[in-house]
Amino acid sequence: METKPSNGSPAKFVDQLVVPGDVILDLSTMAEQTIKLGGGLRQDCDAISVIKAGILRFSKPNKYWVESSQKRYVPCAEDSVLGIVVDCKPDNFLVDIKGPSVAFLPVLAFEGGTRRNIPRFEAGTLIYVRVVKANPGMNPELSCVDATGKAAQYGALKEGLMFECSTGLSRMLLSSPTCPVLETLGKKLPFEIAVGLNGRVWVMFFCCILFVTSVNLWDSVWT
Amino acid sequence: MPEEGEKEEMVTPGEVLGKAADLKAGKGAYVAPYRSSEIPYVFSSLTGLRHTLTPPSDSPDQRPTVEVIGHKARGAVPEAGSVVIARVTKVMAKTASADIMCVGTKSVREKFTGVIRQQDVRATEIDKVDMHLSFRPGDIVRAVVLSLGDARAYYLSTAKNELGVVSANSTAGETMVPISWMEMQCPLTRQIEQRKVAKVGS
């Protein structure tokens, strides 16, 4: 019979691969403290167990979550994603962000947006947006302004090429310090890139080179 | 056993109940000219039993009222002002949809849909209401019918102390215990979730 895990045991699991069913924390052995659980973890009375396979991450002071890579995107607040406009309603644009349901982008959620200067997005327009609210069971709400109210690069993306990838690859392209692929490519050719955490990437080169090939190679090696 | 003065006869839609000069049309009956002649008659519009009501003695119009009670309509129907019990089906940014299950103490026979708008959730600070912090899909709520609403749904309101969420399940699946008018707690995981809770009891 295994002995009860001591206080230090969550450190044993952090940054390790965990599978559904692993118990990473036993609350009955811990003192009174607040612990924040992100995605992939569930509380069963006193035990925190894993419900999604992936790498367990910890961020100070008290947040745990499981990071995994898949083609499906689960909308989360404050994520920057690439959406495709599906329809226009009087109050909202309906935008597909590769999630379980279509998301709503209010027509006034733009910098300096009023009823008189509503942008005209046709069905099929690619837009870079921020997820404002993503409650389970409700359609996510989006915005083209950041938290302070400025436009900050959000909006429609014209020309260029959009391709889909896994969520793990998107996170890797966005990680800091800058991803080596982007750095080496940038030294040779100037380009613009927008990475959505929902597994969509948009690039625009100022001359024709097959960027897609190199990224597909990267994708198959790392995910 | 027919009472004296009352005829318990079964009528069908379109059947003549009498002349409009002798009778007033009540529920389930209407007045129309008889074929091509100009004389108005009272016709039945439902299938059911015909009842005659005597007029109050002080009214100027002394014609008895004839009405037809449909024999199939036994289930309860929500009316404006009635208290209903509904289950929330969908929560959106400014509205929540609910399926009405009981009207007063009687359960309904057919499906009625109700909608709770953001401004009808509570009585104070109605523009700061977050629908997701007031209801979740699957909650049982007690609400009052504001009006018949539009073609799709009745308009419901929970803007009183005794109206709101009566029973709800937590994300862990356990029935939660109310701890204040804004919060309910899961007994298994001790997590607190926000709802617009109804005040039950005196």
Side-chain angles (χ1 to χ4, degrees):
Chain A
M1 192 164 100
E2 282 184 38
T3 52
K4 269 198 170 173
S6 61
N7 251 355
S9 84
K12 187 171 73 162
F13 286 107
V14 169
D15 287 336
Q16 300 292 317
L17 187 70
V18 287
V19 288
D22 284 350
V23 172
I24 53 152
L25 269 185
D26 193 355
L27 296 176
S28 54
T29 57
M30 295 177 65
E32 278 279 319
Q33 48 181 282
T34 317
I35 299 195
K36 289 190 191 167
L37 300 180
L41 293 171
R42 192 175 71 127
Q43 181 184 3
D44 271 328
C45 302
D46 271 344
I48 308 287
S49 51
V50 175
I51 52 175
K52 203 160 75 155
I55 310 237
L56 181 70
R57 298 273 185 224
F58 171 67
S59 110
K60 292 214 172 126
N62 53 8
K63 186 159 178 187
Y64 292 92
W65 74 97
V66 176
E67 220 168 62
S68 58
S69 172
Q70 58 216 38
K71 286 192 182 145
R72 194 169 60 102
Y73 170 62
V74 175
C76 197
E78 301 308 317
D79 277 356
S80 296
V81 295
L82 255 60
I84 298 184
V85 176
V86 170
D87 200 2
C88 310
K89 290 277 169 80
D91 276 337
N92 304 305
F93 294 106
L94 301 188
V95 180
D96 160 45
I97 53 171
K98 275 177 84 171
S101 56
V102 86
F104 292 155
L105 172 62
V107 293
L108 300 175
F110 296 87
E111 188 176 2
T114 59
R115 277 273 151 201
R116 286 168 168 244
N117 56 354
I118 295 177
R120 292 170 179 281
F121 289 146
E122 291 176 350
T125 313
L126 185 69
I127 41 176
Y128 184 55
V129 285
R130 179 177 68 100
V131 178
V132 173
K133 268 204 272 191
N135 296 317
M138 281 169 68
N139 299 71
E141 203 183 291
L142 307 173
S143 171
C144 270
V145 264
D146 65 7
T148 58
K150 296 281 187 333
Q153 318 292 331
Y154 293 116
L157 298 168
K158 299 186 182 54
E159 297 165 357
L161 166 79
M162 190 277 292
F163 60 92
E164 309 209 337
C165 61
S166 62
T167 52
L169 181 61
S170 309
R171 276 199 303 269
M172 182 167 304
L173 287 171
L174 286 171
S175 60
S176 62
T178 323
C179 179
V181 163
L182 298 176
E183 260 195 60
T184 37
L185 208 55
K187 285 188 195 141
K188 305 279 186 184
L189 309 156
F191 68 94
E192 246 185 271
I193 187 170
V195 179
L197 280 161
N198 57 339
R200 284 197 178 131
V201 179
W202 171 87
V203 273
M204 183 157 74
F205 278 88
F206 302 102
C207 56
C208 298
I209 296 280
L210 287 172
F211 178 64
V212 179
T213 323
S214 62
V215 177
N216 277 338
L217 203 63
W218 184 267
D219 190 9
S220 59
V221 166
W222 283 92
T223 57
Chain B
M1 196 160 63
E3 292 174 47
E4 60 172 13
E6 263 196 59
K7 275 190 283 195
E8 291 279 323
E9 65 176 296
M10 211 45 183
V11 293
T12 48
E15 207 169 303
V16 172
L17 299 175
K19 283 198 180 156
D22 303 332
L23 295 172
K24 257 203 311 212
K27 276 199 284 189
Y30 63 98
V31 176
Y34 184 73
R35 295 194 189 163
S36 49
S37 74
E38 290 295 318
I39 309 168
Y41 274 76
V42 177
F43 295 90
S44 157
S45 66
L46 297 176
T47 313
L49 296 169
R50 161 210 183 129
H51 293 272
T52 313
L53 302 171
T54 50
S57 49
D58 55 349
S59 76
D61 186 7
Q62 284 295 310
R63 292 178 296 167
T65 307
V66 64
E67 54 178 42
V68 183
I69 309 292
H71 74 291
K72 273 204 287 188
R74 292 280 160 77
V77 173
E79 304 283 336
S82 50
V83 175
V84 298
I85 308 280
R87 179 188 296 124
V88 176
T89 47
K90 198 166 161 189
V91 178
M92 291 170 290
K94 297 236 191 298
T95 53
S97 298
D99 270 348
I100 297 177
M101 301 191 305
C102 308
V103 176
T105 49
K106 287 177 73 170
S107 72
V108 295
R109 286 280 191 88
E110 48 182 292
K111 191 173 134 172
F112 295 107
T113 318
V115 118
I116 308 172
R117 293 171 299 177
Q118 185 188 14
Q119 62 263 35
D120 298 327
V121 171
R122 56 178 198 223
T124 53
E125 290 190 336
I126 55 176
D127 39 350
K128 293 199 192 134
V129 168
D130 188 344
M131 295 307 288
H132 189 68
L133 299 179
S134 309
F135 305 112
R136 296 278 165 96
D139 289 353
I140 310 287
V141 300
R142 180 183 292 127
V144 72
V145 177
L146 283 180
S147 70
L148 298 180
D150 55 27
R152 283 169 291 189
Y154 287 88
Y155 283 161
L156 303 177
S157 164
T158 53
K160 285 208 191 110
N161 287 350
E162 64 271 10
L163 302 175
V165 174
V166 169
S167 161
N169 281 357
S170 70
T171 41
E174 193 68 23
T175 308
M176 291 197 287
V177 171
I179 49 180
S180 79
W181 75 278
M182 273 306 316
E183 292 168 341
M184 295 182 102
Q185 189 175 35
C186 170
L188 272 189
T189 56
R190 313 279 170 80
Q191 276 172 356
I192 293 182
E193 292 184 28
Q194 300 212 354
R195 300 284 201 278
K196 199 276 169 189
V197 187
K199 190 171 158 128
V200 181
S202 61

